[in-house]
């Protein structure tokens, strides 16, 4: 069965519309390139998506093709207007080149680029990445140096405060009266007997004989 005819109208589904745009856009760019090669035609193709992204193709130079278009569509223009328009086209082309370069640096719209252009873009990204890393290292080193200086200042302030605190403590110690004591000795009677209460006996008293009950005279229980 043959393919049915597609009705040309706006696709309402947003996702399907974006997919169709991407496919048709790539096909249109490819056809424009093939036409320029097969027929040696000068072609300039400009496409803006609904989001405002620019997609373009030029077989030679976009600026030259637009100038040729202006000259062909406006024969014998006034000199002032022609000069202003050429300046406008030059600035517009410059803006487009910068925008395309920026999108390429973000990794977008790389399909039309050749191997040589991709290698140049890769080298530019590596150089940019190296500069970013160098700048990051310098900033981190400067921040570390500033923190070390701040730490030294805090340590010095701490030493000064500690010295003042020691001096204040020494001054307070010397102001205390020497006659004042915090502890008083306890008074005790050294004549108090310690141990068993043994009746005093003369040294030459005769030794008492132990009785039959097992008690020794002179001891109290």
């Amino acid at each position: 069965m043959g393919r049915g005819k597609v009705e040309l109208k706006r696709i309402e589904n947003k996702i399907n519309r974006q997919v169709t745009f991407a496919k048709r856009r790539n096909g249109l760019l490819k056809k424009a390139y093939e036409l320029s090669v097969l027929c040696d035609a000068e072609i300039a193709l400009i496409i803006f998506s609904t989001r405002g992204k620019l997609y373009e193709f030029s077989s030679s130079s976009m600026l030259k093709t637009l100038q040729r278009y202006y000259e062909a569509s406006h024969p014998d223009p006034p000199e002032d207007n022609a000069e202003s328009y050429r300046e406008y086209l030059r600035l517009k082309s410059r803006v487009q080149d910068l925008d395309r370069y920026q999108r390429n640096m973000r990794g977008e719209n790389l399909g039309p680029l050749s191997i040589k252009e991709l290698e140049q873009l890769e080298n530019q990204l590596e150089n940019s990445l190296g500069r970013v890393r160098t700048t990051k290292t310098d900033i981190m080193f400067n921040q570390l140096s500033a923190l070390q200086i701040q730490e030294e200042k805090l340590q010095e302030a701490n030493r000064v405060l500690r010295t003042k605190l020691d001096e204040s403590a020494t001054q307070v110690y010397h102001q205390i009266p020497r006659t004042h004591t915090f502890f008083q000795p306890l008074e005790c009677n050294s004549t108090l007997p310690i141990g068993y209460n043994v009746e005093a006996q003369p040294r030459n008293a005769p030794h008492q004989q132990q009785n039959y009950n097992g008690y020794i005279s002179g001891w109290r229980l």
Side-chain angles (χ1 to χ4, degrees), residues 63 82-94:
L63 178 60
E83 184 65 24
S84 300
Y85 187 74
R86 282 194 293 268
E87 181 66 15
Y88 162 74
L89 292 178
R90 186 184 68 81
L91 294 177
K92 182 178 179 180
S93 177
R94 178 61 177 168

Side-chain angles (χ1 to χ4, degrees), residues 160-189:
V160 173
L161 292 176
R162 186 178 296 275
T163 302
K164 291 182 179 180
L165 182 61
D166 294 340
E167 292 177 354
S168 300
T170 303
Q171 186 178 3
V172 171
Y173 174 77
H174 287 297
Q175 291 177 356
I176 298 176
R178 297 296 183 180
T179 59
H180 180 75
T181 56
F182 293 98
F183 301 99
Q184 297 294 335
L186 296 176
E187 296 181 0
C188 60
N189 188 359

Side-chain angles (χ1 to χ4, degrees), residues 29-157:
L29 292 173
K30 182 179 179 182
K31 291 297 182 180
Y33 170 74
E34 293 175 353
L35 183 61
S36 65
V37 174
L38 294 176
C39 302
D40 194 19
E42 184 177 354
I43 299 177
L45 176 61
I46 300 175
I47 303 174
F48 284 98
S49 67
T50 55
R51 296 183 178 180
K53 290 187 177 181
L54 171 65
Y55 303 92
E56 62 180 33
F57 169 79
S58 177
S59 59
S60 58
S61 172
M62 181 65 71
L63 178 60
K64 293 181 179 179
T65 304
L66 291 176
Q67 288 178 347
R68 184 175 178 182
Y69 165 76
Y70 180 80
E71 293 173 357
S73 59
H74 298 80
D76 299 331
E79 186 63 25
D80 294 339
N81 294 338
E83 184 65 24
S84 300
Y85 187 74
R86 282 194 293 268
E87 181 66 15
Y88 162 74
L89 292 178
R90 186 184 68 81
L91 294 177
K92 182 178 179 180
S93 177
R94 178 61 177 168
V95 171
Q96 292 175 351
D97 292 339
L98 293 175
D99 182 69
R100 182 171 57 252
Y101 174 76
Q102 184 179 9
R103 286 187 280 107
N104 291 337
M105 293 292 288
R106 295 198 302 263
E108 301 176 359
N109 197 24
L110 301 178
L113 299 181
S114 63
I115 298 298
K116 184 177 180 180
E117 292 174 340
L118 291 175
E119 291 178 352
Q120 294 177 353
L121 181 62
E122 183 180 6
N123 295 332
Q124 292 175 356
L125 289 174
E126 290 179 353
N127 295 332
S128 300
L129 183 59
R131 290 192 295 269
V132 169
R133 288 175 176 172
T134 301
T135 304
K136 177 184 176 182
T137 302
D138 294 339
I139 293 176
M140 293 178 63
F141 179 77
N142 294 334
Q143 292 179 351
L144 180 61
S145 300
L147 291 175
Q148 290 177 349
I149 294 174
Q150 186 68 19
E151 181 183 7
E152 293 177 357
K153 292 181 179 179
L154 292 175
Q155 289 178 353
E156 181 64 23

